[in-house]
Amino acid sequence: MSQENRDRAVELSREDEGYVITARWYSDGGSHEISGPDEVVIHLADDAAPEIRQWGVTSAVLHRMGRQVDDMVAEAHEMPSVGAHQVMVRRYVEGRLAELAKARGTTADGFESDLLAVFEDLTGRGHADPLGVLAMATSRPRTDLDHLLDVARQRNDHDGRRSSGAVVT
């Protein structure tokens, strides 16, 4: 969030098929970490169709609204990839991490190396904030991911493999 947004509440809203979802951040405490909202409110839109009013806010609606919250988090934190592209990138990262985990086996060590492979893939594709995308996709703070990437780089150096040497900022 910009300094201006840190000093006041931030509120973003979206309409989605008869519902209005509002996310509010009251303060991020000056942190540079990506954070979800302090509050999310979902309510029926004034012009909601009768069949939507009949069922209200269901678990299916909550699941669908998760995508809206992801978009609002990206917008609130002024991430360069907002909207459908950002969701597409996050889903790519989640899928790629799952593929790598399946390939190495669930009991094998290697999550850090998987993260590094995806980080280097995103960097190679010219993504503006690969660490931010990993943070969003894994729900981990940037500082934790930075540490895990360093661990993977050290392991790769010890194993005789060389990483691309991408710098995490």
Side-chain angles (χ1 to χ4, degrees):
M1 283 184 215
S2 67
Q3 183 61 44
E4 173 185 314
N5 288 346
R6 288 187 195 128
D7 297 334
R8 62 179 171 78
V10 173
E11 180 177 302
L12 298 170
S13 292
R14 301 277 193 280
E15 287 197 38
D16 186 321
E17 297 181 28
Y19 298 92
V20 176
I21 181 167
T22 302
R24 294 182 185 102
W25 289 258
Y26 296 109
S27 171
D28 77 346
S31 171
H32 295 288
E33 300 292 330
I34 296 172
S35 64
D38 297 308
E39 177 180 57
V40 175
V41 177
I42 302 171
H43 64 88
L44 293 169
D46 293 338
D47 60 350
E51 59 273 11
I52 290 174
R53 290 188 177 285
Q54 174 185 2
W55 293 104
V57 179
T58 64
S59 60
V61 171
L62 292 173
H63 180 72
R64 191 174 75 233
M65 293 301 152
R67 293 187 300 258
Q68 299 290 353
V69 172
D70 288 345
D71 284 349
M72 289 186 282
V73 167
E75 183 178 338
H77 291 283
E78 300 169 349
M79 292 177 68
S81 303
V82 177
H85 177 71
Q86 187 261 339
V87 171
M88 179 187 70
V89 171
R90 187 193 78 232
R91 287 183 182 156
Y92 168 77
V93 168
E94 290 170 346
R96 188 71 181 115
L97 286 171
E99 287 172 14
L100 290 168
K102 186 176 180 181
R104 70 175 153 76
T106 56
T107 59
D109 290 332
F111 179 67
E112 298 88 354
S113 294
D114 294 352
L115 285 172
L116 183 59
V118 173
F119 177 85
E120 290 177 344
D121 180 26
L122 292 169
T123 301
R125 293 171 185 260
H127 195 282
D129 186 15
L131 191 62
V133 172
L134 284 176
M136 181 73 74
T138 63
S139 300
R140 293 174 184 252
R142 286 175 179 262
T143 53
D144 290 357
L145 289 170
D146 200 15
H147 173 73
L148 292 170
L149 292 170
D150 285 344
V151 167
R153 287 183 188 105
Q154 290 172 359
R155 284 185 185 160
N156 286 351
D157 286 345
H158 291 299
D159 293 343
R161 293 175 288 175
R162 299 295 296 175
S163 69
S164 69
V167 177
V168 178
T169 56

mmCIF file of all heavy atoms in Angstrom, residues 1 4-6 22 66 70 75 77 81 84 86 88 106 108 111 113 121-122 128 138 141 154-155 162:
data_model
loop_
_atom_site.group_PDB
_atom_site.id
_atom_site.type_symbol
_atom_site.label_atom_id
_atom_site.label_comp_id
_atom_site.label_asym_id
_atom_site.label_seq_id
_atom_site.Cartn_x
_atom_site.Cartn_y
_atom_site.Cartn_z
ATOM 1 N N MET A 1 0.838 -1.176 0.000
ATOM 2 C CA MET A 1 0.000 0.000 0.000
ATOM 3 C C MET A 1 0.877 1.230 0.000
ATOM 4 O O MET A 1 1.917 1.234 0.612
ATOM 5 C CB MET A 1 -0.868 0.041 1.261
ATOM 6 C CG MET A 1 -2.038 -0.885 1.238
ATOM 7 S SD MET A 1 -3.031 -0.664 2.708
ATOM 8 C CE MET A 1 -3.521 -2.334 2.928
ATOM 9 N N GLU A 4 0.156 6.976 1.525
ATOM 10 C CA GLU A 4 -1.149 7.625 1.686
ATOM 11 C C GLU A 4 -2.187 6.625 2.188
ATOM 12 O O GLU A 4 -2.979 6.922 3.066
ATOM 13 C CB GLU A 4 -1.578 8.209 0.338
ATOM 14 C CG GLU A 4 -2.976 8.772 0.317
ATOM 15 C CD GLU A 4 -3.359 9.205 -1.089
ATOM 16 O OE1 GLU A 4 -2.546 9.865 -1.755
ATOM 17 O OE2 GLU A 4 -4.474 8.868 -1.511
ATOM 18 N N ASN A 5 -2.185 5.396 1.641
ATOM 19 C CA ASN A 5 -3.150 4.383 2.040
ATOM 20 C C ASN A 5 -2.865 3.825 3.425
ATOM 21 O O ASN A 5 -3.764 3.331 4.086
ATOM 22 C CB ASN A 5 -3.188 3.241 1.028
ATOM 23 C CG ASN A 5 -3.850 3.655 -0.262
ATOM 24 O OD1 ASN A 5 -4.504 4.689 -0.336
ATOM 25 N ND2 ASN A 5 -3.668 2.846 -1.285
ATOM 26 N N ARG A 6 -1.609 3.886 3.885
ATOM 27 C CA ARG A 6 -1.283 3.373 5.214
ATOM 28 C C ARG A 6 -1.861 4.242 6.315
ATOM 29 O O ARG A 6 -2.055 3.785 7.418
ATOM 30 C CB ARG A 6 0.235 3.294 5.384
ATOM 31 C CG ARG A 6 0.842 2.195 4.598
ATOM 32 C CD ARG A 6 2.305 2.070 4.952
ATOM 33 N NE ARG A 6 2.919 1.255 3.929
ATOM 34 C CZ ARG A 6 3.989 1.592 3.254
ATOM 35 N NH1 ARG A 6 4.610 2.705 3.509
ATOM 36 N NH2 ARG A 6 4.464 0.804 2.329
ATOM 37 N N THR A 22 -17.216 -6.206 -0.234
ATOM 38 C CA THR A 22 -16.412 -5.059 0.176
ATOM 39 C C THR A 22 -15.295 -5.551 1.092
ATOM 40 O O THR A 22 -15.548 -6.325 2.025
ATOM 41 C CB THR A 22 -17.277 -4.020 0.918
ATOM 42 O OG1 THR A 22 -18.340 -3.623 0.058
ATOM 43 C CG2 THR A 22 -16.461 -2.799 1.322
ATOM 44 N N GLY A 66 -13.826 -15.464 -3.275
ATOM 45 C CA GLY A 66 -12.390 -15.536 -2.986
ATOM 46 C C GLY A 66 -11.558 -14.923 -4.098
ATOM 47 O O GLY A 66 -10.552 -14.252 -3.845
ATOM 48 N N ASP A 70 -8.900 -11.777 -3.842
ATOM 49 C CA ASP A 70 -7.535 -11.812 -4.385
ATOM 50 C C ASP A 70 -7.259 -10.585 -5.247
ATOM 51 O O ASP A 70 -6.201 -9.955 -5.139
ATOM 52 C CB ASP A 70 -7.306 -13.067 -5.216
ATOM 53 C CG ASP A 70 -7.194 -14.332 -4.389
ATOM 54 O OD1 ASP A 70 -7.008 -14.224 -3.159
ATOM 55 O OD2 ASP A 70 -7.291 -15.421 -4.975
ATOM 56 N N GLU A 75 -4.912 -5.053 -5.825
ATOM 57 C CA GLU A 75 -5.145 -3.626 -6.067
ATOM 58 C C GLU A 75 -4.754 -2.781 -4.863
ATOM 59 O O GLU A 75 -4.096 -1.753 -5.001
ATOM 60 C CB GLU A 75 -6.615 -3.390 -6.409
ATOM 61 C CG GLU A 75 -6.918 -1.943 -6.740
ATOM 62 C CD GLU A 75 -8.372 -1.719 -7.114
ATOM 63 O OE1 GLU A 75 -9.062 -2.670 -7.524
ATOM 64 O OE2 GLU A 75 -8.815 -0.552 -7.003
ATOM 65 N N HIS A 77 -2.560 -3.341 -2.644
ATOM 66 C CA HIS A 77 -1.107 -3.324 -2.475
ATOM 67 C C HIS A 77 -0.388 -2.836 -3.721
ATOM 68 O O HIS A 77 0.830 -2.953 -3.819
ATOM 69 C CB HIS A 77 -0.608 -4.701 -2.047
ATOM 70 C CG HIS A 77 -1.034 -5.049 -0.666
ATOM 71 N ND1 HIS A 77 -0.435 -4.533 0.445
ATOM 72 C CD2 HIS A 77 -2.045 -5.834 -0.215
ATOM 73 C CE1 HIS A 77 -1.038 -4.987 1.520
ATOM 74 N NE2 HIS A 77 -2.021 -5.783 1.145
ATOM 75 N N SER A 81 0.232 -6.496 -11.442
ATOM 76 C CA SER A 81 -0.632 -7.399 -12.195
ATOM 77 C C SER A 81 -1.947 -7.564 -11.469
ATOM 78 O O SER A 81 -2.091 -8.415 -10.602
ATOM 79 C CB SER A 81 0.033 -8.765 -12.351
ATOM 80 O OG SER A 81 1.266 -8.624 -12.963
ATOM 81 N N ALA A 84 -7.555 -10.238 -14.071
ATOM 82 C CA ALA A 84 -7.501 -11.588 -14.635
ATOM 83 C C ALA A 84 -6.068 -12.069 -14.822
ATOM 84 O O ALA A 84 -5.767 -13.237 -14.584
ATOM 85 C CB ALA A 84 -8.255 -11.622 -15.956
ATOM 86 N N GLN A 86 -3.405 -11.302 -13.060
ATOM 87 C CA GLN A 86 -2.849 -11.649 -11.750
ATOM 88 C C GLN A 86 -3.393 -12.993 -11.279
ATOM 89 O O GLN A 86 -2.653 -13.824 -10.761
ATOM 90 C CB GLN A 86 -3.177 -10.537 -10.738
ATOM 91 C CG GLN A 86 -2.518 -10.713 -9.398
ATOM 92 C CD GLN A 86 -3.432 -11.310 -8.361
ATOM 93 O OE1 GLN A 86 -4.646 -11.268 -8.486
ATOM 94 N NE2 GLN A 86 -2.864 -11.875 -7.335
ATOM 95 N N MET A 88 -4.482 -15.401 -13.202
ATOM 96 C CA MET A 88 -3.887 -16.403 -14.085
ATOM 97 C C MET A 88 -2.466 -16.741 -13.618
ATOM 98 O O MET A 88 -2.092 -17.918 -13.547
ATOM 99 C CB MET A 88 -3.859 -15.884 -15.516
ATOM 100 C CG MET A 88 -3.237 -16.852 -16.502
ATOM 101 S SD MET A 88 -3.046 -16.140 -18.141
ATOM 102 C CE MET A 88 -1.739 -14.957 -17.845
ATOM 103 N N THR A 106 5.829 -36.794 -2.262
ATOM 104 C CA THR A 106 5.349 -35.995 -1.138
ATOM 105 C C THR A 106 6.237 -36.085 0.087
ATOM 106 O O THR A 106 6.208 -35.202 0.930
ATOM 107 C CB THR A 106 3.925 -36.410 -0.742
ATOM 108 O OG1 THR A 106 3.931 -37.817 -0.458
ATOM 109 C CG2 THR A 106 2.940 -36.106 -1.850
ATOM 110 N N ALA A 108 9.639 -36.425 -0.048
ATOM 111 C CA ALA A 108 10.997 -35.940 -0.334
ATOM 112 C C ALA A 108 11.135 -34.458 0.004
ATOM 113 O O ALA A 108 10.191 -33.683 -0.126
ATOM 114 C CB ALA A 108 11.318 -36.157 -1.807
ATOM 115 N N PHE A 111 10.884 -28.550 -1.273
ATOM 116 C CA PHE A 111 9.970 -27.426 -1.466
ATOM 117 C C PHE A 111 10.733 -26.160 -1.827
ATOM 118 O O PHE A 111 10.324 -25.407 -2.714
ATOM 119 C CB PHE A 111 9.113 -27.202 -0.217
ATOM 120 C CG PHE A 111 8.167 -26.042 -0.327
ATOM 121 C CD1 PHE A 111 7.104 -26.071 -1.224
ATOM 122 C CD2 PHE A 111 8.337 -24.914 0.459
ATOM 123 C CE1 PHE A 111 6.226 -25.007 -1.338
ATOM 124 C CE2 PHE A 111 7.459 -23.842 0.355
ATOM 125 C CZ PHE A 111 6.405 -23.884 -0.544
ATOM 126 N N SER A 113 13.564 -25.887 -3.384
ATOM 127 C CA SER A 113 14.009 -25.971 -4.773
ATOM 128 C C SER A 113 12.851 -25.741 -5.740
ATOM 129 O O SER A 113 13.022 -25.127 -6.792
ATOM 130 C CB SER A 113 14.652 -27.327 -5.053
ATOM 131 O OG SER A 113 15.844 -27.443 -4.292
ATOM 132 N N ASP A 121 11.576 -19.208 -13.140
ATOM 133 C CA ASP A 121 10.691 -19.233 -14.302
ATOM 134 C C ASP A 121 10.009 -17.878 -14.469
ATOM 135 O O ASP A 121 9.998 -17.301 -15.551
ATOM 136 C CB ASP A 121 9.654 -20.346 -14.135
ATOM 137 C CG ASP A 121 8.697 -20.454 -15.303
ATOM 138 O OD1 ASP A 121 9.055 -20.071 -16.435
ATOM 139 O OD2 ASP A 121 7.565 -20.935 -15.078
ATOM 140 N N LEU A 122 9.450 -17.359 -13.377
ATOM 141 C CA LEU A 122 8.775 -16.055 -13.435
ATOM 142 C C LEU A 122 9.763 -14.944 -13.795
ATOM 143 O O LEU A 122 9.450 -14.059 -14.598
ATOM 144 C CB LEU A 122 8.093 -15.739 -12.101
ATOM 145 C CG LEU A 122 6.898 -16.623 -11.744
ATOM 146 C CD1 LEU A 122 6.484 -16.382 -10.292
ATOM 147 C CD2 LEU A 122 5.738 -16.390 -12.691
ATOM 148 N N ALA A 128 7.318 -8.657 -13.226
ATOM 149 C CA ALA A 128 7.791 -7.502 -12.459
ATOM 150 C C ALA A 128 8.009 -7.809 -10.979
ATOM 151 O O ALA A 128 8.867 -7.202 -10.347
ATOM 152 C CB ALA A 128 6.802 -6.346 -12.596
ATOM 153 N N THR A 138 1.389 -18.698 -2.166
ATOM 154 C CA THR A 138 1.701 -19.599 -1.049
ATOM 155 C C THR A 138 1.210 -19.079 0.293
ATOM 156 O O THR A 138 1.335 -19.782 1.295
ATOM 157 C CB THR A 138 3.220 -19.837 -0.947
ATOM 158 O OG1 THR A 138 3.875 -18.594 -0.666
ATOM 159 C CG2 THR A 138 3.777 -20.459 -2.214
ATOM 160 N N PRO A 141 4.861 -14.804 3.911
ATOM 161 C CA PRO A 141 5.478 -13.475 3.824
ATOM 162 C C PRO A 141 6.707 -13.486 2.920
ATOM 163 O O PRO A 141 7.403 -14.501 2.797
ATOM 164 C CB PRO A 141 5.894 -13.167 5.267
ATOM 165 C CG PRO A 141 5.172 -14.136 6.121
ATOM 166 C CD PRO A 141 4.875 -15.335 5.270
ATOM 167 N N GLN A 154 21.666 -22.182 -1.860
ATOM 168 C CA GLN A 154 22.814 -22.788 -1.183
ATOM 169 C C GLN A 154 22.872 -24.287 -1.453
ATOM 170 O O GLN A 154 23.938 -24.837 -1.717
ATOM 171 C CB GLN A 154 22.748 -22.521 0.317
ATOM 172 C CG GLN A 154 23.004 -21.079 0.675
ATOM 173 C CD GLN A 154 22.738 -20.778 2.139
ATOM 174 O OE1 GLN A 154 22.336 -21.649 2.912
ATOM 175 N NE2 GLN A 154 22.940 -19.524 2.525
ATOM 176 N N ARG A 155 21.727 -24.953 -1.406
ATOM 177 C CA ARG A 155 21.687 -26.393 -1.695
ATOM 178 C C ARG A 155 22.127 -26.659 -3.127
ATOM 179 O O ARG A 155 22.873 -27.604 -3.384
ATOM 180 C CB ARG A 155 20.286 -26.947 -1.477
ATOM 181 C CG ARG A 155 19.933 -27.134 -0.041
ATOM 182 C CD ARG A 155 18.587 -27.784 0.114
ATOM 183 N NE ARG A 155 18.239 -27.848 1.522
ATOM 184 C CZ ARG A 155 17.017 -28.000 1.972
ATOM 185 N NH1 ARG A 155 16.009 -28.121 1.120
ATOM 186 N NH2 ARG A 155 16.784 -28.030 3.261
ATOM 187 N N ARG A 162 23.856 -24.979 -10.500
ATOM 188 C CA ARG A 162 23.923 -23.530 -10.398
ATOM 189 C C ARG A 162 22.546 -22.960 -10.699
ATOM 190 O O ARG A 162 21.924 -23.309 -11.687
ATOM 191 C CB ARG A 162 24.932 -22.939 -11.374
ATOM 192 C CG ARG A 162 26.349 -23.398 -11.187
ATOM 193 C CD ARG A 162 26.956 -22.979 -9.900
ATOM 194 N NE ARG A 162 27.042 -21.531 -9.854
ATOM 195 C CZ ARG A 162 27.438 -20.842 -8.817
ATOM 196 N NH1 ARG A 162 27.771 -21.458 -7.726
ATOM 197 N NH2 ARG A 162 27.481 -19.527 -8.845
#
